[in-house]
Each structure stands twice: as C-alpha cells, then as structure tokens.
C-alpha cells in the first residue's frame, strides 16, 4: 500500500518561508511523477506543482510560480516544496500526491493526509 | 486554462437511490491518438484527503465499489452512484489532466435526504 507522509507545515508570517517534505513508501518512488495539491479552508482543490519522475522537469501553478520550488530525492524517496514569500492566500492544507505515471499528464492515484500551512501575522 | 464546471453544487438523495453528478469541461478532454478522456473523479470525506474513484472517465479504481460508475466523453462527463449508501456522504470532484494546468471542478456535496 502506498503511503505518503507530509511534514513541515506550520504558522508563518507573511513574507516568510517554509519547506514541506513528503516521504513515500510502498511504491517505486523513482518511477512516478509527484505533485503538490492544496486546499484552502472550506475551499476546493488546487493543483500547485508537479515534478516528473526523473526530477528534470517541473511545473507550477501561476499563483505560486517564482515563489515555490518543487524538488525530489529519489534515493531518499522524498518530495519537497520550498515555499518563499508566503502570502495569506497560501494558507491551506498541502497534500503530497502520487501521479500514476512518470509524466505529468496522468491522474493522481494516491494522496497523503496533508500538512497545514497557515500564513498570518 | 480548462475550466471544469460541476453540477449541481450539492444534492440530497435517499438511501438506496441514484445520485448523478455532472462535470463539464471548457474544451474536449478526448485525446485522439489514444481515444482516452483525461478525466478523473475523486471522493473526499470530511476531514480526509481525496480518494481516487474513476480515471480515464470510466475506469474504476481497484477496490472502489461497483455502485460507482463514470461515463461521458469530450466535454461532458457523469459520475453515478447507483444506490447511495451512508458511507458515500462526501464531496466529489472531477479533475482534468489533459491540459496545463490540470484543473479541478468546484466540487459537489452529496448528502442523505
């Protein structure tokens, strides 16, 4: 069974930074693209970023481009999201998700439980 | 961006009755080279992460009860719960993975009448 465990969330002031981590198990991590998806309080789901299996190509939502950086370490079965210049509208639960293939034009087939990021002064 | 519009926003159905959720995309999700519709459905119960139900518009994920079915092609898609159970109370989302960026519908809340 695939397990995705996020960490690194917390309370941060506007303009601050956080680094989210996700550790994967029960899968061959290096074979799958991975994505971050977020959900604001009482809101729907918003795709944030995707990194392909090899780690050489990344994609970002316009709302986070230039502020967030996705990366992965296939030797450590880990996914990361470096979040800089945080804004109140970035407040959300951030889910680590597994894409069902190595490329990003595929469905998400597994989700972590999420980590909460709150941006507030 | 491809806009995904679900209808209705919420519905209340009696136990054992059929629930139907619609999802309309602003452009076709059918990729002609493989004849696949790049559309998935997810179920999110309160306080939980979403769970994959259906992919390629009509393929049921392993372990998903067969009362859940997906249909449609091109721009119009439907998720049907053939006989609603108490365990099906949740918000349901469609998501397209055809275009960049991938986008979700706004969600449909299903409750028991």
């Amino acid at each position: 069974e695939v397990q995705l465990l996020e960490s690194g969330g917390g309370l941060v002031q506007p303009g601050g930074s956080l680094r989210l981590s996700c550790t994967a198990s029960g899968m061959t991590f290096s074979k799958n693209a991975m994505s971050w998806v977020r959900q604001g309080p009482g809101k729907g789901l918003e795709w944030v970023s995707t990194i392909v299996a090899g780690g050489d190509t990344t994609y970002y939502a316009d709302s986070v481009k230039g502020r967030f950086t996705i990366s992965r370490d296939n030797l450590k079965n880990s996914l990361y999201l470096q979040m800089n210049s945080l804004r109140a509208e970035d407040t959300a639960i951030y889910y680590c998700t597994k894409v069902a293939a190595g490329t990003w034009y595929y469905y998400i087939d597994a989700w972590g439980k999420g980590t909460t990021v709150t941006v507030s002064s | 961006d491809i806009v995904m519009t679900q209808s209705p926003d919420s519905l209340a159905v009696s136990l054992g009755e059929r629930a139907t959720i619609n999802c309309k995309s602003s452009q076709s999700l059918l990729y002609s080279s493989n004849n696949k519709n790049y559309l998935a459905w997810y179920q999110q119960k309160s306080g939980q992460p979403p769970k994959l139900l259906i992919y390629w518009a009509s393929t049921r994920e392993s372990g998903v009860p067969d009362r859940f079915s997906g249909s449609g092609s091109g721009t119009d898609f439907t998720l049907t719960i053939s006989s609603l159970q108490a365990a099906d109370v949740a918000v349901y989302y469609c998501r397209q993975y055809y275009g960049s960026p991938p986008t979700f519908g706004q969600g449909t809340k299903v409750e028991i009448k």
Side-chain angles (χ1 to χ4, degrees):
Chain A
E1 179 190 1
V2 175
Q3 291 196 326
L4 303 171
L5 183 62
E6 303 95 337
S7 62
L11 174 64
V12 61
Q13 292 188 341
S17 299
L18 274 179
R19 188 192 194 211
L20 305 185
S21 299
C22 171
T23 301
S25 59
M27 60 180 284
T28 306
F29 184 74
S30 60
K31 290 192 174 182
N32 293 88
M34 299 291 291
S35 293
W36 290 96
V37 175
R38 68 185 181 184
Q39 186 169 34
K43 295 187 177 179
L45 300 165
E46 179 188 15
W47 168 77
V48 173
S49 181
T50 298
I51 186 167
V52 301
D56 53 323
T57 306
T58 58
Y59 306 88
Y60 298 94
D62 286 345
S63 59
V64 308
K65 200 173 294 182
R67 301 187 298 123
F68 290 11
T69 302
I70 191 171
S71 62
R72 65 191 295 161
D73 185 335
N74 286 346
L75 295 179
K76 294 183 177 179
N77 288 354
S78 293
L79 176 73
Y80 307 100
L81 186 68
Q82 177 66 43
M83 305 187 295
N84 298 331
S85 302
L86 282 161
R87 306 167 180 166
E89 54 265 36
D90 296 318
T91 294
I93 298 172
Y94 284 74
Y95 294 104
C96 170
T97 71
K98 168 181 168 280
V99 180
T103 60
W104 81 308
Y105 285 106
Y106 249 76
Y107 52 93
I108 290 171
D109 65 354
W111 300 67
K113 288 182 165 44
T115 187
T116 300
V117 172
T118 303
V119 184
S120 175
S121 54
Chain B
D1 297 6
I2 298 176
V3 177
M4 306 298 291
T5 304
Q6 292 182 226
S7 62
D9 288 334
S10 65
L11 74 161
V13 176
S14 300
L15 288 172
E17 296 300 304
R18 179 184 301 260
T20 301
I21 301 168
N22 300 302
C23 176
K24 188 174 184 66
S25 60
S26 61
Q27 66 184 74
S28 178
L29 304 182
L30 178 62
Y31 191 39
S32 56
S33 66
N34 59 12
N35 202 37
K36 288 182 182 290
N37 286 282
Y38 283 52
L39 187 283
W41 288 97
Y42 297 87
Q43 174 194 64
Q44 186 177 31
K45 297 182 179 180
S46 180
Q48 296 184 20
K51 171 190 171 184
L52 175 65
L53 296 177
I54 303 285
Y55 55 94
W56 302 129
S58 60
T59 302
R60 195 180 304 113
E61 172 72 332
S62 174
V64 172
D66 60 8
R67 63 180 180 273
F68 291 92
S69 63
S71 62
S73 184
T75 61
D76 292 280
F77 302 90
T78 300
L79 176 69
T80 301
I81 309 173
S82 60
S83 176
L84 191 75
Q85 306 299 306
D88 302 334
V89 169
V91 178
Y92 293 83
Y93 295 92
C94 60
R95 176 185 185 256
Q96 65 81 17
Y97 45 100
Y98 180 96
S100 172
T103 46
F104 291 89
Q106 80 276 17
T108 295
K109 187 174 185 179
V110 174
E111 299 172 307
I112 305 296
K113 184 187 292 182

